[in-house]
Amino acid sequence: TTMSGYRTIHRENRADQPPAAVGSGKKRPPPPLWSVKFSPCRQSCQPAAAESSTNPPSPQSRLLASGADGIIRAYRLTDKLASATSPLDATAVKVGHTDSLVGTGQAEGGLSLGYSALDVVRNYAGSDRSAGEEAVVAINPVGCVQVWTRAEQPATVDGEENGETGQPQEAAKTIKAKIEFTVQGATGTTLAIRPIGLGPVHGSHPKAKQRPAIVAAVGCLDGSVQVVSTGVGLHPGERDAAGGNEDKDPVEAGTVHDKLGTGSAVPTSLVWSKSSDTLAVGRKDGTVDLYKCSSDDYSDGGYRRIHRLLCHPKPVRGLTFTSDDALLISGDDEGTLAVHDVIRPSNTAVGLVGAVLHAHSSYVLDLAPLPDGKRFASVGADGLVHVWDVGMLNSGAVHSFAEGKGTGMVWGVSTTSDGRRIASVHDNGMLVLYSAQE
């Protein structure tokens, strides 16, 4: 009998909370975690010269989690699956807290509204792993957006590898936000960075005479979605990114490149297609809108709605494309999942190809694809994490993790680019890692 590779392999519980009251000695309960993202950037553990040795270093990935305390914690995951360690062994991954990302004016230990949504991107889509940088963008409940940048692949010194050398891990560094701006009328709960590989957003190239910037979609209370500049210039190695403006300042942070969907129901989820300039918007009334840029000319055009999906009666908070962008998966407050074929021509109706009623017993709060184009993960207010196969929806979830059952909502989920790991964040402040190997 083949043994399943689905396992819980790590639980990260916040142990750095201050006392509930001065002199009480009792720890304050950890604040909830709301969002989690694996970074597309890797983190080397040795100088590049060591990578050619006969004993290559363990691969490392980076993970970010945000919540109600206003600190985005960045973790380094040392994955030992490259060695002979069993993928079912809970010691197959080591987790280290490397950085704490805080707002521009946030005092250490001071009060904060927290970050209800975050996204992360590698500012370069080419094969050169030493190019570009990591950009992290987060929004708080009043629409204040903060932007951080970190090195693409920072090396760690030998003494930092806790458990590898027996040396204690260094304390996490505090990194202040590089940019701050406010999106007027934002819901403060939805944000998604436009994929870097799509090149400059329309209207920013080349006649604007500014360096195009990374942009993000932000949902607003009037039903619109604003496509705004983050103020971080696109890497000049990107397709048409510079346009002769490499030495110019990037488009100012907060600049609105487009505003779409005004008058519709409030956006509750956002996701971009990586292979086409298409944005999917889940809404409070259960509709899902698809917007596509009307022109390939980056100096012109704009986003226009090409489809409206009407299969959900309740708010759609979970939304993702499969890794090949062929299917759009949505989840609503009744616990229903729906799968639509979205690669049809824009003048052809988008087809519903699958659905699961009561996939969760309460709200579906987040979705994330695995890279095989078939599987995806869902999390919900019932405390469960499910893994599904789009070709076997009628058979139920491929696997279910019940770590959070009875402890509150599971707010967010993310997957690694190689599909070996899933991460979830919970109402009780827990960050949980799972093996997703079949």
Side-chain angles (χ1 to χ4, degrees):
T1 303
T2 302
M3 195 171 183
S4 169
Y6 293 105
R7 289 289 187 277
T8 301
I9 57 174
H10 184 81
R11 299 175 185 87
E12 184 77 9
N13 200 355
R14 294 279 312 286
D16 57 350
Q17 292 302 297
V22 176
S24 70
K26 294 182 179 180
K27 289 289 186 180
R28 185 180 300 165
L33 292 176
W34 291 330
S35 187
V36 62
K37 296 289 181 184
F38 279 102
S39 173
C41 298
R42 305 284 285 184
Q43 179 152 338
S44 63
C45 60
Q46 294 186 21
E51 294 184 6
S52 60
S53 67
T54 55
N55 295 310
S58 302
Q60 295 188 343
S61 53
R62 297 198 281 191
L63 177 70
L64 300 107
S66 68
D69 65 352
I71 300 174
I72 298 175
R73 288 170 175 79
Y75 297 93
R76 177 183 60 237
L77 277 59
T78 305
D79 189 348
K80 293 187 174 182
L81 294 189
S83 68
T85 306
S86 167
L88 308 184
D89 185 354
T91 65
V93 62
K94 291 185 179 295
V95 179
H97 177 199
T98 59
D99 299 316
S100 293
L101 281 55
V102 299
T104 53
Q106 185 176 338
E108 187 172 350
L111 294 176
S112 173
L113 289 173
Y115 297 108
S116 42
L118 77 88
D119 206 354
V120 57
V121 71
R122 180 191 178 206
N123 191 9
Y124 183 72
S127 58
D128 183 357
R129 293 188 61 186
S130 65
E133 62 187 355
E134 178 189 79
V136 180
V137 184
I139 190 168
N140 72 14
V142 295
C144 179
V145 177
Q146 305 268 1
V147 184
W148 299 261
T149 57
R150 298 197 298 165
E152 158 73 13
Q153 198 179 28
T156 59
V157 297
D158 291 342
E160 287 184 278
E161 281 306 310
N162 185 25
E164 295 293 320
T165 65
Q167 299 296 321
Q169 181 178 305
E170 292 186 356
K173 295 181 297 183
T174 298
I175 301 176
K176 291 274 190 179
K178 179 179 180 181
I179 297 167
E180 175 184 330
F181 61 94
T182 298
V183 177
Q184 296 298 324
T187 64
T189 58
T190 51
L191 177 145
I193 299 175
R194 182 174 175 270
I196 299 299
L198 297 176
V201 71
H202 69 85
S204 66
H205 173 77
K207 58 188 180 185
K209 303 304 179 186
Q210 289 179 293
R211 183 179 171 190
I214 297 172
V215 301
V218 176
C220 297
L221 294 169
D222 63 358
S224 69
V225 176
Q226 294 189 31
V227 181
V228 299
S229 168
T230 64
V232 177
L234 277 177
H235 190 281
E238 287 308 314
R239 176 171 62 97
D240 299 325
N245 295 321
E246 298 94 334
D247 299 328
K248 301 287 196 311
D249 290 333
V251 176
E252 184 179 356
T255 299
V256 179
H257 288 286
D258 207 342
K259 186 174 182 178
L260 44 103
T262 303
S264 301
V266 173
T268 47
S269 52
L270 303 169
V271 65
W272 291 93
S273 165
K274 299 182 297 296
S275 58
S276 66
D277 206 349
T278 302
L279 174 68
V281 182
R283 299 188 180 277
K284 191 174 181 180
D285 64 355
T287 58
V288 178
D289 291 331
L290 276 77
Y291 297 89
K292 186 175 176 62
C293 191
S294 59
S295 173
D296 289 331
D297 181 356
Y298 296 120
S299 64
D300 198 3
Y303 291 96
R304 300 290 182 268
R305 195 179 77 194
I306 57 172
H307 293 296
R308 169 163 283 181
L309 311 180
L310 302 171
C311 67
H312 293 286
K314 296 294 177 104
V316 174
R317 304 181 197 275
L319 198 61
T320 190
F321 288 97
T322 51
S323 59
D324 57 5
D325 289 328
L327 302 172
L328 178 67
I329 305 159
S330 51
D332 68 19
D333 281 6
E334 286 193 337
T336 298
L337 294 173
V339 181
H340 285 85
D341 176 1
V342 291
I343 59 173
R344 303 184 182 195
S346 58
N347 59 352
T348 305
V350 171
L352 178 68
V353 297
V356 182
L357 300 176
H358 309 300
H360 287 265
S361 62
S362 187
Y363 300 177
V364 176
L365 293 173
D366 199 13
L367 301 169
L370 283 122
D372 54 18
K374 302 182 300 178
R375 293 179 298 155
F376 66 95
S378 67
V379 298
D382 57 4
L384 298 177
V385 179
H386 294 311
V387 180
W388 305 86
D389 187 310
V390 292
M392 302 190 304
L393 292 177
N394 292 336
S395 300
V398 174
H399 190 82
S400 297
F401 300 98
E403 298 296 315
K405 190 171 184 179
T407 63
M409 300 182 181
V410 185
W411 287 100
V413 66
S414 185
T415 60
T416 53
S417 58
D418 60 12
R420 296 190 300 187
R421 296 284 182 253
I422 298 172
S424 63
V425 287
H426 298 241
D427 219 18
N428 62 358
M430 188 80 76
L431 166 66
V432 185
L433 298 175
Y434 315 91
S435 169
Q437 289 190 304
E438 291 187 301

